[in-house]
Amino acid sequence: MPLATLEGPAIQAAHAALEEALKRFPKESAGQCAFSAQALEVVIGQEAGWYFARVNRRVDRCPGFGPGVTGLETDWFELYAISPDGDITRYPYQP
């Protein structure tokens, strides 16, 4: 896993995006690896004081998932914008 140095606000923005993405999973799937933070990664960027986060699903990090995964979207992602004040907004898209 690559290491990176992140400033505190970038870590807070990434965490906020991760928490928002987790809220969108079905409640009945709680406890399953594919619907947990273990199966997610956050890519974070900054522009003009705003943070932009893409939360990617990585079911390959879960035991038992590999080539031929069925029933899950392996290209699932969520996009978020985090304002300088900490407000978070989900980008409304339909994949």
Side-chain angles (χ1 to χ4, degrees):
M1 174 181 291
L3 295 176
T5 301
L6 297 175
E7 297 175 359
I11 294 168
Q12 289 177 311
H15 183 262
L18 181 66
E19 290 294 316
E20 286 296 314
L22 287 169
K23 288 179 189 176
R24 300 185 61 76
F25 286 144
K27 301 241 184 286
E28 60 272 7
S29 299
Q32 296 178 31
C33 178
F35 298 95
S36 71
Q38 180 179 340
L40 299 176
E41 70 180 1
V42 180
V43 179
I44 192 98
Q46 182 185 29
E47 180 67 35
W50 285 72
Y51 286 96
F52 299 92
R54 177 180 164 136
V55 181
N56 297 316
R57 178 178 253 170
R58 294 285 310 273
V59 294
D60 58 308
R61 294 180 177 169
C62 295
F65 286 96
V69 172
T70 59
L72 288 174
E73 296 177 64
T74 55
D75 63 347
W76 177 99
F77 64 91
E78 294 276 350
L79 300 172
Y80 295 94
I82 302 92
S83 76
D85 296 329
D87 296 324
I88 186 166
T89 303
R90 178 178 174 264
Y91 180 76
Y93 73 96
Q94 296 296 324

